[in-house]
């Protein structure tokens, strides 16, 4: 039997949920506050849109979701990354797989993904309405209508909240959905930025601004205990550190301000300490009559050398042939364990995603239906589930959207 479906939010989850619902013969209204749907999708992946991750093993997929991973079993099982890839190919978007199994449109243009989703929804019969939902009209534990800011009233049989998080507010993600969900009895877990650059307190940080490092490994510590490791790329900024490995590490920081966090960077992960020591000895032999500060050009980026020299405690003007074995070992340890002290996240409006959201205990993971309101469903970033960078968060949006559409 055909139903009147109302989807609130025209991002990745909302567009796919609306399109799939309409495809089933339902009458679907999609309410989006911005003049153009999919605004946040346009800026993902630096404007290229990392649409999913070509990770086809369910357990591996789940392992890339650090927050409430078990909640995602049904949604992922029902709609995997290969389903996402097949969908976009069917919609006319050619895809390619890059390093780390990241999937992008062949054109490198996120607008192709957004246009495909919008066209899919329109061609399926979705009615687009621009406006901001301010309240639910409820009766007998059900929502009967939504009330818009301009007092318009839109009735429906089932409602989906797909309003995203609080990151990138200029794209429309301003947390409206949390307020609506709370108004009907849902709880929202504490919101914090995730996949976000990190602020560091070390006084050498400004000297390294703009330095990009590749093929390094990082280890995140909480109160001295190792909690996460990664390998890849990062960059130093005027405030601290950013880049892919840092963004992923940020999603493991749960007690900022309460616990003490620091990151150790292994600048030469391909070499163990003994091999690195021998490499340095060879360099020192080559530059034996030079000052220490002029002996590291083959080993380290120029911008990093003055900082390493300072932290090593070895005088920059000391002749290389006078450096002791202990000093050399200290240098090796510094290169293998370059430490930065993390003091804060950058603001939530700089985060790629929001960690926290609708408590997963209040949502049926097999249907995405509210356990509190009989005809309310959820999909996407509004739910308290988030993943690492690499296309996993968009896959969460698509998988929850499809499950939501199938059960509305």
């Amino acid at each position: 039997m055909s139903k009147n479906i109302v989807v609130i939010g025209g991002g990745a989850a909302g567009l796919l949920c609306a399109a799939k619902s309409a495809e089933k013969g339902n009458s679907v209204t999609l309410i989006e506050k911005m003049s153009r749907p999919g605004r946040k999708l346009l800026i993902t992946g630096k404007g290229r849109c990392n649409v999913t991750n070509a990770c086809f093993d369910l357990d591996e997929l789940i392992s890339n979701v650090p927050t409430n991973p078990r909640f995602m079993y049904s949604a992922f099982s029902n709609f995997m990354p290969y389903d996402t890839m097949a969908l976009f190919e069917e919609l006319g978007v050619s895809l390619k797989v890059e390093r780390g199994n990241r999937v992008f449109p062949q054109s490198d243009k996120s607008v192709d993904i957004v246009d495909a989703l919008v066209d899919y929804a329109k061609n399926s019969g979705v009615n687009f309405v621009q406006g901001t939902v301010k309240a639910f009209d409820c009766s007998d534990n059900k929502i009967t209508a939504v009330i818009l800011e301009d007092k318009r009233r839109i009735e429906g049989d089932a409602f989906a909240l797909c309003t995203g998080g609080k990151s990138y507010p200029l794209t429309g993600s301003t947390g409206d959905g949390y307020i609506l969900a709370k108004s009907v009895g849902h709880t929202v877990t504490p919101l914090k930025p995730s996949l976000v650059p990190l602020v560091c307190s070390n006084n050498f940080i400004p000297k390294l601004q703009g330095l990009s490092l590749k093929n390094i490994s990082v280890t995140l510590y909480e109160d001295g205990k190792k909690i996460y490791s990664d390998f890849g790329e990062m960059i130093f900024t005027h405030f601290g550190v950013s880049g892919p490995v840092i963004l992923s590490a940020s999603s493991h920081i749960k007690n900022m301000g309460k616990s003490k966090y620091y990151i150790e960077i292994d600048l030469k992960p391909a070499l163990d300490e003994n091999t690195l020591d021998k490499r340095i000895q060879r360099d020192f032999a080559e530059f034996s009559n030079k000052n220490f500060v002029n002996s590291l050009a083959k080993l380290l980026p120029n911008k990093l050398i003055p900082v390493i020299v300072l932290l090593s405690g070895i005088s920059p003007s000391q002749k290389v042939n006078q450096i002791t074995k202990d000093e050399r070992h200290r240098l090796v340890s510094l290169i293998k364990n370059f430490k930065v002290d993390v003091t804060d996240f950058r603001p939530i409006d700089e985060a790629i995603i929001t960690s926290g959201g609708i408590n997963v205990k209040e949502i049926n993971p097999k249907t995405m239906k509210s356990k509190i309101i009989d005809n309310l469903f959820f999909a996407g970033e509004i739910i308290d589930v988030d993943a690492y960078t690499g296309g996993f968060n968009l896959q969460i949006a698509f998988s929850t959207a499809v499950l939501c559409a199938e059960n509305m």
Side-chain angles (χ1 to χ4, degrees), residues 3 6-8 133 136 138 141-146 156-163 177-187 358 362-364 367-379 382 404 407-408:
K3 283 188 172 182
V6 178
V7 177
I8 306 162
V133 176
F136 288 136
C138 297
N141 213 47
K142 280 189 171 185
I143 300 166
T144 53
V146 292
D157 300 311
F159 298 80
L161 266 177
C162 309
T163 48
Y178 303 130
I179 297 165
L180 289 168
K182 279 182 178 177
S183 75
V184 290
H186 274 281
T187 52
I358 308 301
E362 300 169 358
I363 304 170
N364 183 334
T367 60
M368 294 298 129
K369 183 168 171 274
S370 164
K371 292 180 180 178
I372 294 170
I373 299 294
D374 290 342
N375 62 343
L376 178 61
F377 294 76
F378 298 94
I382 191 171
C404 186
N407 289 284
M408 286 178 81

Side-chain angles (χ1 to χ4, degrees), residues 266 268 270-286 292 295-296 299 314 320 323-336:
D266 184 345
K268 296 290 175 183
L271 308 177
D272 61 25
E273 293 208 355
N274 190 38
T275 310
L276 178 60
D277 188 35
K278 287 176 181 171
R279 160 74 200 272
I280 289 172
Q281 286 182 63
R282 286 199 302 274
D283 285 359
F284 280 4
E286 186 180 341
F292 174 49
S295 70
L296 301 173
L299 189 67
I314 304 167
V320 168
I323 290 174
T324 66
K325 184 179 178 182
D326 281 350
E327 285 173 329
R328 198 179 70 241
H329 285 172
R330 204 159 67 229
L331 175 63
V332 168
S333 181
L334 180 60
I335 291 169
K336 294 291 286 180

Side-chain angles (χ1 to χ4, degrees), residues 57-69:
D57 178 77
L58 180 59
D59 288 333
E60 188 186 340
L61 194 56
I62 292 287
S63 73
N64 281 281
V65 182
T67 307
N68 297 317

Side-chain angles (χ1 to χ4, degrees), residues 26 173 264 311:
N26 295 306
S173 297
E264 282 186 353
L311 295 175

Side-chain angles (χ1 to χ4, degrees), residues 162-267:
C162 309
T163 48
K166 283 195 82 169
S167 54
Y168 293 128
L170 292 177
T171 66
S173 297
T174 51
D176 300 4
Y178 303 130
I179 297 165
L180 289 168
K182 279 182 178 177
S183 75
V184 290
H186 274 281
T187 52
V188 177
T189 61
L191 304 175
K192 70 175 186 67
S194 189
L195 301 186
V196 67
L198 298 172
V199 178
C200 300
S201 58
N202 315 74
N203 56 13
F204 57 75
I205 288 290
K207 296 174 186 172
L208 298 177
Q209 180 179 349
L211 174 64
S212 181
L213 299 175
K214 293 182 177 180
N215 302 320
I216 49 87
S217 68
V218 296
T219 304
L220 174 67
Y221 291 84
E222 180 179 9
D223 293 335
K225 183 183 173 186
K226 186 188 296 187
I227 59 170
Y228 180 70
S229 293
D230 202 0
F231 175 88
E233 300 175 20
M234 64 167 286
I235 187 168
F236 287 93
T237 67
H238 66 285
F239 56 76
V241 286
S242 188
V245 297
I246 300 300
L247 299 183
S248 288
S250 74
S251 59
H252 288 266
I253 298 177
K254 305 295 183 188
N255 300 302
M256 188 72 84
K258 295 176 184 173
S259 299
K260 185 180 179 185
Y261 291 95
Y262 64 90
I263 289 172
E264 282 186 353
I265 305 163
D266 184 345
L267 298 165

Side-chain angles (χ1 to χ4, degrees), residues 24-71:
K24 295 177 186 301
N26 295 306
S27 174
V28 180
T29 300
L30 174 65
I31 305 170
E32 166 57 39
K33 67 196 286 192
M34 307 300 281
S35 58
R36 176 174 187 164
R39 287 286 293 273
K40 191 173 172 187
L41 261 178
L42 282 173
I43 61 171
T44 60
K46 295 178 181 172
R48 295 172 63 217
C49 192
N50 181 187
V51 72
T52 186
N53 190 287
C55 165
F56 300 155
D57 178 77
L58 180 59
D59 288 333
E60 188 186 340
L61 194 56
I62 292 287
S63 73
N64 281 281
V65 182
T67 307
N68 297 317
R70 289 176 60 124
F71 178 82

